[in-house]
Amino acid sequence: MSDNEFKHKHELKFWSDRVKDEKILENSAYEKFYIHDLKLSHEEFEDKAILDIGCGPRGSLEWADMARLRIGIDPLVNEYYKLNGGTLFHKMHYVRAYSEDMPFPDEMFDFIFSINSLDHVDDLDETISEIKRVLKIGGICGIIVDANHKPQKTEPITIGLDLKDKFSDVFEVIDERIYETVYNTGFRDNLDDPTFYNLDDEKIRPAILLLKLRKIKPYDVLPDLTIKKDADSFNELFNHNIKLEKENLKLKKEIKAFKNRKVVKFVDRLKNFQ
C-alpha cells in the first residue's frame, strides 16, 4: 500500500467512525473559524465565490448562505457520499480533486480557506501555487493549521512558522497569529483559550498557525509547468458534478424507501393460500 493509499484509508476511517457516533455529521462549529477566528464578517461573503480546500464531509460552508458559490474540494468526495453522514443534502458543492491540481479557471474565487488541511496535502508548494492561481486579485486566503509537528502518515507535511514567506511573491499578510498547542483536544480549545507562542523560546514545539492573506499581484504560472484551466472545461466538470449529486441523492432516497418497505413474512404468504 502506497503512502497516499494509507493516508486516504485512515482519513476515511476517521470520518466513518464519526458517522457511526453522530449519524448526521454536525457542522455548526465551522462558522466560528471563518467569522470569529479569521475576523471576517458575513457581509464580506455576500455574493462571493468561496473555496474550502480539504473540506471533509461535514458541510464546512453550510453557514454561508449569503455566498454566490460554495465549493469544497477533497480527493475523498466520492467516498464521503457513501458514508451517509449528510453530505448529499448539504447546500455547498463538493468537487473530487487534489489541491495540487485544482480543476478551476484562473482567478475564480473571492475567498479560499484551508482549515486543518494544509498539512494533509501531498505537495505543499504545488498546493500553494494553485491557491495563488485560482484566487482573484484582492481575494482573501485564510489558513488555520498545525505547525511544527513531525510528519505522519495522514499528515505528511510539516508546516513551519515561516509559512507566510511561501506566499510573499503575490500576497500581503493581513493577520498572522501563532498559538502554543496547550490542549491536545484540537483547534477549538486552543483558539478559545489562546496562549501566544513564545518566539524567544527556540525549542521547536507544536503550534497552531493562523494566517489571513490578501492577493495583491497577478500570479504568472510558467506554461510548461501547469496546464491552464479554462472556464468552459470547468463548467463542463461542474455541471457533471451537479448531475452526479442529484443522481446520488435520488439513489439515496430510493435506498431509504427500499429499506422502509413493508416486509411480508413467508408464513403470512402461506396463510393467504389457506
Side-chain angles (χ1 to χ4, degrees):
M1 181 184 296
S2 68
D3 289 346
N4 209 32
E5 289 172 332
F6 180 92
K7 180 175 67 171
H8 288 177
K9 176 182 177 181
H10 283 267
E11 287 176 340
L12 190 59
K13 183 180 185 305
F14 171 85
W15 289 117
S16 298
D17 291 342
R18 299 289 79 72
V19 170
K20 290 178 183 177
D21 292 340
E22 301 178 39
K23 306 303 180 185
I24 300 298
L25 294 174
E26 173 62 36
N27 54 47
S28 60
Y30 281 104
E31 185 174 9
K32 194 171 184 180
F33 287 116
Y34 299 94
I35 301 300
H36 178 270
D37 298 316
L38 287 168
K39 298 181 179 179
L40 293 164
S41 68
H42 292 89
E43 290 75 19
E44 291 179 86
F45 294 105
E46 188 73 36
D47 199 35
K48 294 298 192 292
I50 308 173
L51 175 67
D52 183 18
I53 296 173
C55 58
R58 281 192 183 274
S60 58
L61 298 176
E62 284 293 276
W63 58 273
D65 288 321
M66 71 295 295
R68 172 173 51 84
L69 180 65
R70 290 172 279 178
I71 294 179
I73 66 166
D74 197 300
L76 296 175
V77 163
N78 291 352
E79 286 74 12
Y80 293 158
Y81 284 144
K82 300 172 187 177
L83 287 178
N84 189 23
T87 308
L88 281 170
F89 299 100
H90 292 156
K91 291 170 284 187
M92 60 184 284
H93 295 288
Y94 291 88
V95 173
R96 182 182 182 274
Y98 286 87
S99 59
E100 296 85 358
D101 186 21
M102 300 188 202
F104 309 122
D106 296 353
E107 299 188 5
M108 175 176 173
F109 295 97
D110 300 284
F111 292 91
I112 295 179
F113 296 102
S114 173
I115 309 296
N116 192 25
S117 64
L118 208 55
D119 54 340
H120 290 251
V121 304
D122 296 331
D123 190 301
L124 179 60
D125 290 334
E126 289 185 10
T127 295
I128 291 174
S129 178
E130 282 288 81
I131 291 173
K132 294 174 181 177
R133 183 181 66 80
V134 302
L135 186 65
K136 295 178 180 178
I137 295 179
I140 300 295
C141 175
I143 297 168
I144 305 177
V145 66
D146 287 311
N148 284 353
H149 67 67
K150 294 181 179 179
Q152 303 172 25
K153 288 289 187 178
T154 56
E155 298 173 342
I157 303 296
T158 298
I159 303 293
L161 300 183
D162 59 349
L163 179 64
K164 65 182 179 184
D165 295 343
K166 291 181 175 291
F167 292 86
S168 62
D169 55 337
V170 294
F171 282 81
E172 66 174 355
V173 178
I174 302 174
D175 188 11
E176 178 187 29
R177 279 168 274 151
I178 307 172
Y179 299 119
E180 299 277 0
T181 303
V182 177
Y183 304 102
N184 293 321
T185 49
F187 278 168
R188 192 68 271 154
D189 288 337
N190 286 287
L191 293 174
D192 287 342
D193 184 22
T195 300
F196 281 93
Y197 193 89
N198 181 9
L199 293 172
D200 292 331
D201 182 351
E202 297 181 357
K203 180 181 178 181
I204 297 177
R205 57 201 185 279
I208 294 175
L209 176 62
L210 184 152
L211 283 178
K212 187 164 70 169
L213 311 163
R214 179 185 289 113
K215 184 176 176 180
I216 58 174
K217 297 178 182 178
Y219 180 60
D220 296 323
V221 184
L222 295 177
D224 58 332
L225 295 180
T226 302
I227 299 175
K228 182 177 180 179
K229 284 77 173 178
D230 58 67
D232 290 339
S233 63
F234 167 72
N235 289 333
E236 182 179 347
L237 180 146
F238 191 57
N239 290 334
H240 174 76
N241 191 71
I242 292 176
K243 181 180 178 181
L244 178 64
E245 289 178 357
K246 291 179 179 178
E247 290 175 351
N248 284 336
L249 185 57
K250 180 181 178 182
L251 179 61
K252 169 131 179 20
K253 290 179 178 178
E254 291 176 351
I255 292 174
K256 183 177 181 180
F258 180 77
K259 288 182 177 179
N260 292 336
R261 74 196 189 285
K262 183 178 180 181
V263 179
V264 181
K265 294 182 180 179
F266 181 67
V267 290
D268 292 332
R269 295 192 179 202
L270 286 179
K271 291 178 181 178
N272 293 332
F273 290 97
Q274 295 179 354

